[in-house]
Amino acid sequence: MKLAAPAAPYVTLYDQYDNDAANGIVSVLNTVNTTLKANTADDFVIPSGQTWTISEVDIPGYPNIVTPDSFNIYFYADAAGLPGAQVYSELNVPVGGSSPDFVETLSVPAVLTAGTYWVSAVGVTSTGNNWYWEMRTVANGNQAAWQEAGGYGTGCNMPTWYNRGNCTGTSASPDQMFRIVGTIGGGCV
């Protein structure tokens, strides 16, 4: 999976779109069966002295799985190696790109200052099928986090976040694939 370089003035701010595990983990708001809701998140770091204006999140889905109706995109502050307070959300982001490479353009950019954050991409489906976010074989920072609504029987239930590998037995693929696009420097929110 290879994405084109962003068009100016946008740049790739953070890139984990490599080391494909050839496997995915459910990250979905299944509107037909809400007990199958599950959120996946992965961390990234904004360097000291920088402010990022994030306009796009690129996320690969597991190939040949349902294309979501839309995506919910969230950013969280770090809380001791897991997602903490939500600092940004945009619901029902129209599907961009094409399966399995989704290019999600935020209508209102997320403006984040230096520090560790978590991004969560949740596919919204109305077909009863789940969307799976492609996993990565290499960890950058903390391992990916996960939570579910009870339908998977893992005990890693919402609203608490857990280490994904401990919940799902996917420790050999510790991170998620994603890319963050935008500009360096603050903007109006």
Side-chain angles (χ1 to χ4, degrees):
M1 296 178 209
K2 179 80 170 151
L3 295 173
Y10 303 108
V11 297
T12 298
L13 298 168
Y14 188 85
D15 194 349
Q16 279 190 193
Y17 222 93
D18 58 7
N19 298 297
D20 190 345
N23 200 357
I25 189 72
V26 66
S27 191
V28 71
L29 172 54
N30 184 322
T31 61
V32 174
N33 184 348
T34 57
T35 65
L36 296 180
K37 178 180 179 181
N39 295 4
T40 306
D42 203 355
D43 65 331
F44 64 97
V45 175
I46 299 176
S48 178
Q50 290 188 8
T51 297
W52 289 359
T53 301
I54 300 169
S55 58
E56 175 183 304
V57 178
D58 302 332
I59 42 177
Y62 189 71
N64 303 314
I65 299 293
V66 65
T67 295
D69 302 325
S70 63
F71 282 94
N72 293 342
I73 304 292
Y74 305 93
F75 289 101
Y76 300 90
D78 182 67
L82 289 167
Q86 183 180 299
V87 296
Y88 175 91
S89 69
E90 184 170 336
L91 306 181
N92 299 309
V93 178
V95 172
S98 60
S99 183
D101 299 305
F102 299 103
V103 177
E104 298 311 295
T105 302
L106 305 177
S107 65
V108 176
V111 179
L112 304 176
T113 58
T116 301
Y117 295 91
W118 293 75
V119 61
S120 179
V122 178
V124 179
T125 66
S126 60
T127 62
N129 297 313
N130 288 339
W131 180 75
Y132 292 79
W133 186 357
E134 193 73 1
M135 295 186 293
R136 187 171 185 264
T137 59
V138 176
N140 282 346
N142 299 293
Q143 292 190 14
W146 197 69
Q147 60 180 207
E148 58 124 327
Y152 300 96
T154 65
C156 296
N157 294 340
M158 298 173 171
T160 303
W161 285 97
Y162 301 86
N163 174 289
R164 176 177 48 76
N166 294 342
C167 292
T168 62
T170 56
S171 294
S173 304
D175 267 3
Q176 301 304 127
M177 292 176 64
F178 66 97
R179 180 175 81 164
I180 295 175
V181 172
T183 58
I184 297 174
C188 297
V189 178

